[in-house]
Amino acid sequence: METLPNNYQLEIPKGCFPLSTDSMVLSHFVRLPKNARVLDLGSGCGTLGLLLCSRDAGCRVTGIERDPAAHQAALANIRRNGLENRLESLPGDLRAVPQILPPGSFDISLSNPPYFSGGPAAKLTAARRADFCPISGLLQSAAWALKFGGDFYLVHRPERLGELIAAGAAAGLEAKRLCLVRHRPGGPVSLILLGFRKGAKPGLTWEEWTLRNSNGSPTPLYREIYHLGG
């Protein structure tokens, strides 16, 4: 059991995505408008939904999750935290969003998708493998669900940056924000955070986050992301 801000409780069964740095930095990167309607594509046990609901009392989050075990865990987490009116989990393949949800019905969409398919990843369940979540399908579903001017946020591997920006443009999502995440000063970029906007003009801003100091201690940003006092 993980304790999130505002004492929200997150339980993640064995075999489902754990609470990771990816989810924490992504939830911190998202900019929520007032009373935002949010769609989480590949929502797992409801981790991102819980993090956003704990941060903003006005947002409402809908998750789409293919894995039945993760979907059932999300329903349990929703009940556990009394969020039935603000957070929901729908079973389904995120590529089928146009058959599940009406177009243009969300202000924000986000995703922490699987990164790998071959090697050890081939042994994972379908919901946790990248070949069941192609970048093009992910971005097309996000574009379908977003209203004009809505934002899509995701976390991914740095080597996929060019592919992500090109796929976003093909889906009508313009890359507007890029954040490079490093674990140590001067270290390699381990993650990228991307923010797209539906129907926007070109113009990309970028920033860099470092999570730990050279001696391994957490940076002020890390403490903010993980809601650590002191």
Side-chain angles (χ1 to χ4, degrees):
M1 188 76 70
E2 300 278 357
T3 299
L4 304 179
N6 289 325
N7 205 35
Y8 284 8
Q9 302 297 307
L10 170 68
E11 184 174 11
I12 302 178
K14 184 178 180 180
C16 296
F17 274 130
L19 179 62
S20 64
T21 299
D22 307 40
S23 295
M24 297 302 297
V25 296
L26 178 58
S27 66
H28 191 75
F29 185 67
V30 171
R31 293 174 178 169
L32 290 173
K34 186 176 181 180
N35 298 322
R37 287 285 290 113
V38 182
L39 175 64
D40 182 3
L41 294 169
S43 51
C45 301
T47 301
L48 286 168
L50 284 172
L51 286 168
L52 294 182
C53 285
S54 73
R55 165 183 152 190
D56 186 322
C59 74
R60 292 172 293 155
V61 183
T62 296
I64 302 288
E65 176 52 46
R66 174 181 178 136
D67 182 357
H71 166 64
Q72 290 300 320
L75 294 178
N77 282 321
I78 291 167
R79 292 191 297 269
R80 180 177 294 109
N81 292 283
L83 290 171
E84 290 88 347
N85 294 326
R86 296 185 53 211
L87 179 58
E88 64 177 340
S89 179
L90 304 178
D93 190 314
L94 62 83
R95 294 171 294 183
V97 161
Q99 288 77 54
I100 299 173
L101 298 168
S105 50
F106 291 89
D107 306 295
I108 299 292
S109 182
L110 75 164
S111 184
N112 177 10
Y115 305 146
F116 307 107
S117 297
K123 299 178 182 179
L124 299 174
T125 62
R128 298 186 61 192
R129 288 169 46 192
D131 47 331
F132 287 87
C133 180
I135 285 174
S136 59
L138 174 66
L139 289 161
Q140 288 165 9
S141 289
W144 169 273
L146 286 171
K147 68 180 186 181
F148 187 85
D151 292 323
F152 175 56
Y153 298 93
L154 86 164
V155 58
H156 220 288
R157 301 288 295 176
E159 60 267 25
R160 307 296 292 276
L161 176 59
E163 182 183 358
L164 288 162
I165 291 177
L173 298 173
E174 186 68 31
K176 300 297 290 182
R177 287 178 65 203
L178 168 64
C179 180
L180 310 179
V181 182
R182 305 177 194 272
H183 286 286
R184 299 288 180 92
V189 175
S190 57
L191 296 170
I192 55 170
L193 298 162
L194 265 177
F196 298 84
R197 180 160 294 169
K198 184 175 179 178
K201 295 180 180 180
L204 179 67
T205 63
W206 66 280
E207 56 203 272
E208 293 192 41
W209 291 358
T210 302
L211 301 181
R212 293 190 176 274
N213 298 307
S214 298
N215 63 3
S217 63
T219 61
L221 175 63
Y222 179 99
R223 302 187 70 86
E224 183 180 353
I225 290 170
Y226 281 85
H227 304 272
L228 301 175

